[in-house]
Amino acid sequence: MYISKKKTYKILAYCAMSAIFFGSINGGVASAEDETATEEDTSHTEVEEPATNDNSDTKDDSNNTVEVTENTITRNGTSKDYEDSTYRVDGGGSDSFEGNANNNNVTVNGGKITTFLNGGRAYRGNTNNNTVTINGGEFGAWVEGGWATYGDANENKVIINGGTFTGTIIDGGYALRGDTNYNKIIINGGDFKINSNGRGGIYGGYVAGSGNVIGNEITINGGTFEGGIYGGYISGTGYVQDNVIRIYGSPDLSNASIYAASGGYNSGNTIKIYTQGITAKDIGGFENLEFYLQEGTKVVSTDSEGKEVLNPILTLTNPTSSISSNILVYNDGATGLQNNDVITLITTDNTSGLRIGDGEITIAQGISLEYPSYVKKVPFSDSNSNTQSLQIAVGDIGKEPSGDAVLKDQTEELTAAVVDSASLLDSGTERLLEWLPPEGLDYMNSVPTAGFDPFIGMGGSSLKINTGNGTKLTNKGGGINFGMSRYLKNRHGTFIVAPIIDYGKDEYDSTLPDANGTKGSGHSQYTMGGLIARQVNVNGMYYEGSFRYGQIRTDFVSHNFIANGKPVTASYEASTPCYAGHVRVGWRDHISPQNILDVYGMYSLNRVNGFTTKVSTGEDYSFSAVKSGRIRIGARLTREIKERENVYSGFAYIHEFSGETVGEYMGLSTKRASIKGDAGLIELGWQVKPAKNSASMIDTSLSWWVGDRKGFTFSTKLKKDF
């Protein structure tokens, strides 16, 4: 193949350029990065490779553990001392062209780091899931969860418990041309003079060129701050989107400004304030401005001279941005608001800088309430007549309330646990109704006259229950009962009495027919003790009754309740007394030598006592007692197929009269939920004796349910004489 002389020169030139380029890479990341960094971010330049990193021949540098004290760095158990207390630290630093630096952990307890502190550092690779924890020390330049020059720095974490930060840029993740997404910065304390050289700041994610900064979080619990705090930064093109800044406790932000973004396309960023009395210079650029009112939040107080004094949640000393965010106010549910209560969200003395528009919003209280409210820029007459405030009133200030607070429809789902408890007791009663008569298969001729006859019954169920308001409750469970029968002959026949112990447990799922399809789930369980008795007459008539008393425990959790337009988790646990009883009248006798007919009617009453519990979202709910009263009318035909073996079939109609409960919060009630309704069942069973003259017997049955209860139940009973 012929290659022209001109093409040969070009190939040689390309080879020379490649040799120079790759030669610079082999010497470290610095040369290649600095050349680009000069164009877009001259502040993030490389320094001489530190002694903390000796892996220039490896592709990845991940899963390292590094601990820093005053003059010592310990890397994966190997320590190195330094006479100079100023150095740079990389948890993992890959110098390979495409190597990654992931899953590294760096802990700093002291020292002076004046250049870089990175959880991980890579050139074209990624730096993901690194963690930097700072408990003390002095810091300048950069502190980063992960640094990826041409890769991505995602899901890194920086935790700061103390230390001094001067002229520092702190970011969850840094990339020159890549993404920095879902990183976290948690600040519990420290002194942050981050703008002392005019370029510092705290950033959820930082992109020095073009890329995306999405879903990063900054949580501030304490510390003293001077400078800018940003959800994210981009110097080129990209999205700064869905980043969140949270403020708790009592940090000193009086010399700090808090912004959603610097550069890029800003959307969906949120600031959440969970404390009262915060002072900052400015906030701006947030699409969502959320205030979480804690118990004891006050609007105004009275000073010693009787003058009203503002108690704002946030005070701005040098505002330059207009407040045009989606303003959301969320009360934690522990303390209720009343009509015409006023909450001062933001106030400032610099009226020229603060620009607020009027508008209507909704105050949400936990998962339960939405208050009609009014937002207004209000001149407040206190010591400074120029003060401007953003206030929210429940109803309109000085006017009739624009509406009364009502519980949201979704709160009806909170009653699911109570309804399921009543249903579980019903299943226990059904199981107990099948306790074994003493005569075994020979109904009239084998009744013992002395001693005890132990019996045990076990069963389970899988049912779908229509609660009467469209809610679908599905539960699966089982239980066991144990008793010791005593037989007493009398002139009418035989009287049988037995102390019993009964235990039941299930798990349930519930779906509310609201627009959101609110779902809940949980468990219920009970332990009860009591008595059951039956009179069996020689003419076939029998009478039966029982009473049980005990304790029932239940829990509830839902992950799709809506508060302030967003899904939240709500849960609670409760324990309360319960009791159950029934009476039954029937006739059972042979209608042919091999067939026995049993016809009966029954009424049962179960009760779950009311209780009060605190929902995880802060509300104290009271739930009314549930009385589950119902009748059952049925018949069963038993046929002897062998000398020691029977089969039977039957049907029954069940009507639930009530089984109703309601939840109450702040004098307001949820919609009522109940298990009222009609159902039918068809049963098949099998009985067997181990021996011809034995008083022991095994009885197994299966029932299919239709109507407002759908599904099946099964049980196995064992009776044996001493």
Side-chain angles (χ1 to χ4, degrees):
M1 178 176 67
Y2 173 74
I3 301 176
S4 66
K5 185 179 295 185
K6 184 175 181 181
K7 288 184 178 180
T8 300
Y9 291 151
K10 286 184 178 180
I11 292 172
L12 291 174
Y14 291 152
C15 290
M17 292 172 64
S18 299
I20 294 171
F21 179 78
F22 285 103
S24 67
I25 294 299
N26 290 332
V29 182
S31 299
E33 181 184 345
D34 287 347
E35 184 175 347
T36 307
T38 303
E39 301 174 8
E40 296 176 303
D41 181 18
T42 58
S43 64
H44 204 289
T45 54
E46 184 66 273
V47 296
E48 182 180 354
E49 190 66 28
T52 61
N53 200 28
D54 299 320
N55 62 326
S56 58
D57 294 329
T58 64
K59 184 172 183 178
D60 287 357
D61 191 18
S62 300
N63 303 302
N64 299 295
T65 300
V66 177
E67 184 173 354
V68 181
T69 58
E70 193 69 32
N71 294 98
T72 303
I73 297 178
T74 302
R75 181 181 176 86
N76 298 328
T78 301
S79 299
K80 183 175 289 188
D81 295 330
Y82 293 90
E83 293 182 2
D84 185 358
S85 65
T86 63
Y87 41 77
R88 160 190 167 166
V89 176
D90 293 317
S94 175
D95 299 322
S96 172
F97 192 69
E98 294 183 352
N100 300 312
N102 300 332
N103 305 309
N104 299 289
N105 287 279
V106 179
T107 301
V108 181
N109 296 312
K112 187 174 183 179
I113 301 175
T114 58
T115 52
F116 292 91
L117 170 59
N118 301 304
R121 175 177 57 85
Y123 180 58
R124 284 198 182 275
N126 300 318
T127 57
N128 299 332
N129 297 300
N130 299 288
T131 300
V132 175
T133 302
I134 299 172
N135 298 314
E138 299 179 44
F139 304 88
W142 294 75
V143 174
E144 300 164 318
W147 163 16
T149 309
Y150 288 102
D152 297 331
N154 296 333
E155 299 185 53
N156 301 286
K157 185 182 292 185
V158 177
I159 303 170
I160 301 175
N161 298 314
T164 301
F165 302 81
T166 304
T168 315
I169 294 179
I170 302 170
D171 56 68
Y174 169 94
L176 182 63
R177 290 179 181 172
D179 295 338
T180 60
N181 301 335
Y182 308 109
N183 301 285
K184 293 182 179 180
I185 299 175
I186 301 171
I187 301 176
N188 299 313
D191 187 7
F192 301 87
K193 298 180 176 64
I194 45 184
N195 72 337
S196 61
N197 60 8
R199 67 177 180 88
I202 299 174
Y203 304 87
Y206 192 109
V207 173
S210 294
N212 296 314
V213 181
I214 298 173
N216 300 282
E217 299 179 10
I218 299 175
T219 300
I220 299 174
N221 296 305
T224 302
F225 299 83
E226 177 185 318
I229 302 171
Y230 302 84
Y233 170 87
I234 293 178
S235 69
T237 58
Y239 291 93
V240 184
Q241 180 178 319
D242 298 332
N243 302 286
V244 178
I245 297 177
R246 297 182 177 89
I247 300 175
Y248 296 88
S250 302
D252 184 353
L253 296 162
S254 56
N255 291 309
S257 296
I258 307 169
Y259 299 110
S262 179
Y265 302 105
N266 179 356
S267 68
N269 298 292
T270 302
I271 182 171
K272 300 172 180 270
I273 300 176
Y274 294 84
T275 188
Q276 187 173 18
I278 294 294
T279 298
K281 295 173 84 174
D282 192 18
I283 62 170
F286 293 100
E287 184 172 325
N288 303 307
L289 177 56
E290 300 183 4
F291 296 89
Y292 291 77
L293 309 182
Q294 305 302 308
E295 187 172 1
T297 299
K298 300 294 183 183
V299 184
V300 295
S301 59
T302 304
D303 62 17
S304 58
E305 299 179 356
K307 296 180 180 179
E308 288 186 332
V309 180
L310 273 176
N311 288 314
I313 293 175
L314 175 64
T315 297
L316 301 178
T317 59
N318 189 30
T320 60
S321 305
S322 61
I323 306 299
S324 57
S325 310
N326 299 320
I327 300 173
L328 304 175
V329 180
Y330 180 83
N331 195 19
D332 70 353
T335 303
L337 298 173
Q338 305 297 323
N339 284 319
N340 291 329
D341 279 355
V342 181
I343 302 294
T344 303
L345 302 179
I346 303 175
T347 189
T348 181
D349 291 340
N350 187 342
T351 58
S352 62
L354 182 64
R355 296 183 294 279
I356 305 170
D358 297 346
E360 292 186 3
I361 69 163
T362 298
I363 302 174
Q365 182 160 304
I367 57 171
S368 304
L369 290 172
E370 289 186 350
Y371 291 93
S373 58
Y374 188 77
V375 182
K376 193 172 184 180
K377 177 182 177 182
V378 181
F380 195 87
S381 179
D382 61 2
S383 59
N384 186 342
S385 60
N386 292 322
T387 298
Q388 296 287 331
S389 301
L390 173 60
Q391 293 185 338
I392 291 187
V394 181
D396 292 352
I397 300 175
K399 301 178 181 178
E400 291 296 322
S402 55
D404 293 327
V406 294
L407 291 182
K408 298 170 71 173
D409 289 343
Q410 66 184 2
T411 59
E412 184 181 354
E413 181 62 21
L414 294 172
T415 64
V418 192
V419 171
D420 179 72
S421 297
S423 174
L424 180 61
L425 289 185
D426 281 340
S427 296
T429 300
E430 293 288 341
R431 188 169 55 248
L432 189 64
L433 291 180
E434 305 307 322
W435 76 300
L436 298 181
E439 57 276 5
L441 296 181
D442 187 353
Y443 187 77
M444 300 303 298
N445 301 316
S446 62
V447 178
T449 58
F452 288 91
D453 186 22
F455 64 89
I456 186 170
M458 296 174 287
S461 63
S462 178
L463 295 171
K464 294 181 178 180
I465 302 169
N466 185 352
T467 64
N469 56 4
T471 298
K472 302 298 181 182
L473 179 72
T474 301
N475 60 23
K476 297 178 181 179
I480 183 170
N481 49 56
F482 174 79
M484 298 288 289
S485 299
R486 176 70 172 169
Y487 313 96
L488 302 171
K489 286 275 190 177
N490 56 42
R491 64 188 181 91
H492 297 292
T494 303
F495 178 73
I496 313 111
V497 63
I500 53 174
I501 297 174
D502 186 18
Y503 172 81
K505 183 176 182 179
D506 74 359
E507 60 181 28
Y508 69 90
D509 294 287
S510 176
T511 302
L512 194 67
D514 60 354
N516 184 47
T518 306
K519 298 180 182 295
S521 61
H523 305 81
S524 299
Q525 66 178 15
Y526 70 82
T527 302
M528 306 176 77
L531 289 172
I532 186 169
R534 176 185 290 170
Q535 170 68 37
V536 182
N537 294 340
V538 293
N539 63 1
M541 293 295 296
Y542 65 89
Y543 314 93
E544 181 182 275
S546 71
F547 178 79
R548 295 168 291 150
Y549 180 83
Q551 196 81 3
I552 192 164
R553 296 179 58 84
T554 189
D555 59 60
F556 171 88
V557 64
S558 173
H559 300 291
N560 74 328
F561 270 77
I562 301 299
N564 268 344
K566 299 178 181 179
V568 299
T569 297
S571 62
Y572 69 81
E573 297 179 355
S575 178
T576 189
C578 61
Y579 64 77
H582 85 281
V583 292
R584 177 163 64 165
V585 177
W587 176 85
R588 185 179 191 271
D589 211 342
H590 285 83
I591 58 173
S592 70
Q594 286 80 34
N595 296 297
I596 299 172
L597 179 64
D598 184 354
V599 181
Y600 61 88
M602 184 200 76
Y603 177 78
S604 63
L605 178 65
N606 302 326
R607 176 184 169 97
V608 178
N609 280 7
F611 60 87
T612 298
T613 187
K614 181 179 285 293
V615 182
S616 60
T617 48
E619 296 97 321
D620 289 316
Y621 266 85
S622 295
F623 294 95
S624 64
V626 183
K627 294 180 181 179
S628 173
R630 64 179 181 167
I631 59 170
R632 171 171 168 164
I633 301 172
R636 174 188 289 179
L637 181 65
T638 302
R639 180 174 179 80
E640 181 181 338
I641 58 174
K642 293 182 180 179
E643 188 176 17
R644 295 184 291 110
E645 189 175 351
N646 286 352
V647 294
Y648 59 87
S649 62
F651 66 90
Y653 164 76
I654 299 97
H655 175 72
E656 180 79 46
F657 289 100
S658 55
E660 188 174 77
T661 187
V662 65
E664 184 176 295
Y665 172 60
M666 289 183 60
L668 303 171
S669 298
T670 67
K671 292 183 179 179
R672 294 184 176 272
S674 74
I675 52 176
K676 180 179 179 180
D678 298 292
L681 67 83
I682 300 173
E683 61 176 343
L684 295 176
W686 174 69
Q687 298 171 335
V688 64
K689 278 186 176 184
K692 179 179 179 180
N693 297 319
S694 173
S696 300
M697 184 174 67
I698 297 173
D699 187 332
T700 300
S701 66
L702 178 66
S703 299
W704 289 268
W705 292 69
V706 296
D708 289 321
R709 290 190 173 213
K710 295 181 176 68
F712 66 90
T713 59
F714 63 91
S715 64
T716 297
K717 287 85 67 177
L718 172 65
K719 168 245 182 186
K720 181 175 175 60
D721 287 342
F722 283 133

